Amino acid sequence: MCGIVAVSGNPEAAQLAYLGLYSLQHRGQEAAGIASFDRTDGESHRIRKPGLASDAIKQHDLAELPGDVAVGHIRYSTAGGAGLKNAQPIREHYRDGYVALVHNGNLTNANVLRERLLNEGALFQSSIDSEVIVHLIARSRAESVDGQISDALSQLEGAYCVLLAVDDVLYAARDPYGYRPLVIGVLPTGGLVLASETCALDIVRARFVRDVEPGELIRIRDGEIESVSRLPKFVAEQQPCIFELVYFARPDTRLWGYTVDRARRAFGRKLAREQPAEGDIVISVPDSANSAAVGFSEESGIPFELGLIRNHYVGRTFITPTQAGRDFKVRMKFSPVREVLEGKRVVMVDDSLVRGTTSRALVDMLHEAGAKEVHFRLASPPVRWPCFYGIDMPTREELIASARTVAEIRDYLGVDSLGYLSPEGMIDCVADQGETYCTACFTGDYRAPLVDREQGLPMESHC
Ligand code: SF4
C-alpha cells in the first residue's frame, strides 16, 4: 500500500506535495513525510511524523521545507514494520549529494539484497525494503547518477514505484511489470507533479499528462522532463494490480485507463449477471463497495438503499475487544439503518472477502436490525493467495477462501446465499484494449519471482 508524490519546478513544492499526500490518505494512515531540496543553501530538509498527513505535518513544518523540488510519502501500517524509523522519505548523503527517496510497492528480493549488503558492511537504519535501494545507488560503480540509479533498480525484483531526488534533480521509476500506479501531471502554476493516483493531481489542479510506463526511468529538472530511459529487464506481460481497481484506489482516480468508479460499477453489473439474487434491496458495505453495489442495482433492477452507515471518524482506540464483544471494532465502524433493513430480503455487496470476520459481524448486525434474508455478493473472486507485491494481506491460512468451499464460507458467515464474481468476469470488465493484470491473490499466478521465499527468507509486505 502506501502513497507517494513528488513536485519539481515549483517554489511551493512542499506545500503541493502535502496536498497530494492529503488526497492519498486512503493509501495509509501510519505516518507521513516530505523531503525538499533548497538550492540556496544546498541543503536537504525533511520531516517525518506518525499519523495522518493533517496531524503529522503542520503549516509551520512546511515553512521548514524550502526549495522547488519535494518528495512525499504516506505510510500504511504493516505487521512488524511500524515505527518512525521506517517512515519515509529515506534521506541520506552520498558522494553525489543528498538522496531523498519514497517507494510504493514491495520488493521480493529485499532480504537477499539486504544480507549481501550487510555482509559488505552496509549499516541499515530501518527494516524497510526501500532502504536497500539507497544503498545500491550509493555503492554503484557507475559514474553518472543516472547510471547509479539504473544500476540499483536493475537489481530489484518485485513491485516498485520510486520517486527520488538527488539534490534538485528528480527521478521517477516504475518496475518493469508495472504493479503499482504512478502518474505525471502538469501544474497550472509551473512544474510537474507525480503521484500514485490521479486524485493527487486533481487536488492541486494539475493536468494529467500520462502514466510513468512500466520499466521507465525518468529524469526531471526544474519541472521539465530531461530524459526517459528503459530499465534493462524484459517482461513479457505487464502486471498492473487489479486489486487497486477492486478495492484500494479512490473511486475518482483514473487508473489503468479506467475511472475506478466506472470499473467497480462494471464489476457490480457483471456480478448481478453471473450471481443473481432474489432481494428487495441492494446495500453496499461502505465506502469501498458503493460503486459495485450501484452497478449490481442498475443491472438487477433491485433498488439501492443505504442500509449501512460508516463512521469516518473512527481513530485508534484503547477499548479492548473484551470490553464490548469480539465484533466491537465492526460496530464502531458501521451502523445499520433499521428502517431500511427491517423485514427486507437484503442483497449486501462488498468489494472482496479476505478474512471474513468483518463480514460475519455485519451479517449479524443486519439480522439484528430485522433483515429477513441476507444474500451476500462479492465484486471480485475468492482471495486465496497472499500478496507479495505491496498490498498488505493476511497469511494464506488466514484467508477464508484458501481452504474453504463457497458453501462452507456461506455457512460460516450465516448468509442465505453467497456469490463471487468469476476471475474471467472481473478481467472482462477492464480489458477493453486487451490489458493484462496481476491477479495472483485470486489465482496464485505470481509473475515477478518470489526470490526471498525461494531462498527461505521472510517476505513481509512493507508497503
Ligand atoms: S497479488 Fe493481488 S493485491 Fe497483489 S499485486 Fe497482484 S492483484 Fe494486486
Side-chain angles (χ1 to χ4, degrees):
M1 296 178 164
C2 301
I4 57 175
V5 64
V7 174
S8 168
N10 193 294
E12 300 200 309
Q15 283 89 340
L16 293 163
Y18 168 76
L19 290 171
L21 293 183
Y22 196 83
S23 66
L24 296 174
Q25 192 70 78
H26 59 287
R27 297 184 75 87
Q29 294 89 41
E30 185 187 307
I34 298 175
S36 70
F37 183 81
D38 184 12
R39 252 180 275 192
T40 55
D41 65 3
E43 282 297 322
S44 171
H45 303 263
R46 177 181 65 165
I47 179 155
R48 300 181 299 176
K49 285 191 190 160
L52 303 177
S54 56
D55 296 331
I57 303 171
K58 302 292 185 193
Q59 195 57 39
H60 61 83
D61 296 317
L62 292 173
E64 304 294 314
L65 297 168
D68 63 4
V69 61
V71 296
H73 188 265
I74 283 286
R75 179 164 168 75
Y76 180 82
S77 154
T78 54
L84 204 52
K85 71 175 176 139
N86 287 337
Q88 299 185 33
I90 297 169
R91 196 263 318 264
E92 299 291 347
H93 192 262
Y94 83 122
R95 65 183 183 279
D96 281 312
Y98 284 102
V99 52
L101 177 142
V102 292
H103 167 213
N104 176 213
N106 207 54
L107 306 180
T108 54
N109 64 340
N111 283 319
V112 167
L113 292 170
R114 176 182 281 260
E115 282 204 354
R116 192 187 88 201
L117 289 160
L118 284 169
N119 287 334
E120 290 170 7
L123 302 169
F124 279 86
Q125 296 186 11
S126 74
S127 58
I128 53 173
D129 56 353
S130 320
E131 194 180 350
V132 164
I133 307 171
V134 176
H135 283 280
L136 293 175
I137 293 169
R139 283 162 182 258
S140 168
R141 300 269 174 229
E143 283 186 11
S144 69
V145 175
D146 290 21
Q148 294 156 13
I149 294 171
S150 181
D151 190 15
L153 297 179
S154 65
Q155 297 176 62
L156 308 181
E157 294 288 356
Y160 60 85
C161 282
V162 169
L163 294 168
L164 72 140
V166 178
D167 286 349
D168 58 349
V169 182
L170 180 66
Y171 290 85
R174 197 163 156 220
D175 71 73
Y177 293 90
Y179 282 105
R180 307 257 77 86
L182 189 60
V183 294
I184 309 173
V186 175
L187 287 157
T189 50
L192 293 181
V193 55
L194 294 93
S196 299
E197 294 187 32
T198 58
C199 62
L201 308 190
D202 295 337
I203 195 170
V204 292
R205 296 177 181 273
R207 178 174 53 82
F208 170 77
V209 177
R210 69 175 182 88
D211 292 335
V212 175
E213 295 296 328
E216 264 190 352
L217 172 62
I218 300 175
R219 184 179 72 232
I220 300 162
R221 194 192 301 264
D222 295 331
E224 300 282 342
I225 293 180
E226 267 191 352
S227 79
V228 178
S229 53
R230 309 282 322 163
L231 297 171
K233 192 170 280 183
F234 173 75
V235 167
E237 275 189 349
Q238 294 181 4
Q239 297 283 293
C241 168
I242 204 161
F243 213 74
E244 293 263 1
L245 285 173
V246 168
Y247 163 73
F248 203 45
R250 231 170 71 163
D252 54 329
T253 277
R254 194 162 167 77
L255 184 76
W256 319 139
Y258 299 86
T259 301
V260 172
D261 168 69
R262 294 290 137 174
R264 289 181 188 161
R265 283 191 195 210
F267 294 151
R269 282 197 295 274
K270 180 73 96 178
L271 177 64
R273 290 197 292 278
E274 289 188 349
Q275 301 285 342
E278 295 277 323
D280 301 313
I281 57 170
V282 172
I283 68 166
S284 74
V285 178
D287 295 320
S288 52
N290 288 351
S291 300
V294 169
F296 193 101
S297 168
E298 286 169 351
E299 184 68 26
S300 64
I302 304 170
F304 175 75
E305 292 276 2
L306 297 176
L308 286 169
I309 303 298
R310 181 172 171 180
N311 183 344
H312 290 95
Y313 307 102
V314 179
R316 289 178 193 274
T317 172
F318 296 104
I319 302 171
T320 61
T322 48
Q323 283 175 289
R326 69 177 161 75
D327 55 358
F328 86 108
K329 275 189 179 163
V330 178
R331 286 176 186 277
M332 287 178 74
K333 201 166 162 186
F334 299 102
S335 309
V337 184
R338 178 171 283 277
E339 288 69 20
V340 169
L341 299 164
E342 203 157 27
K344 298 287 189 345
R345 296 173 300 163
V346 177
V347 182
M348 180 170 76
V349 177
D350 205 349
D351 53 82
S352 55
L353 187 62
V354 180
R355 284 189 177 87
T357 45
T358 299
S359 304
R360 188 154 90 154
L362 285 176
V363 172
D364 287 349
M365 199 183 273
L366 298 186
H367 282 133
E368 281 169 28
K372 199 162 71 180
E373 294 173 13
V374 178
H375 302 273
F376 194 22
R377 294 293 178 271
L378 279 311
S380 63
V383 178
R384 296 201 164 103
W385 304 84
C387 175
F388 298 112
Y389 304 133
I391 299 281
D392 188 36
M393 275 195 196
T395 60
R396 180 127 210 256
E397 295 66 41
E398 293 170 299
L399 294 169
I400 191 169
S402 69
R404 296 190 204 214
T405 65
V406 171
E408 287 168 343
I409 299 169
R410 179 199 62 206
D411 294 346
Y412 168 83
L413 297 174
V415 291
D416 296 277
S417 71
L418 174 67
Y420 285 93
L421 183 62
S422 68
E424 304 75 30
M426 176 178 67
I427 295 290
D428 193 41
C429 294
V430 287
D432 292 354
Q433 313 295 322
E435 297 94 330
T436 55
Y437 293 94
C438 175
T439 57
C441 49
F442 304 114
T443 59
D445 181 10
Y446 298 103
R447 295 293 174 92
L450 306 179
V451 181
D452 284 343
R453 194 168 75 165
E454 286 156 15
Q455 302 287 323
L457 294 167
M459 287 205 42
E460 299 123 19
S461 182
H462 286 289
C463 190

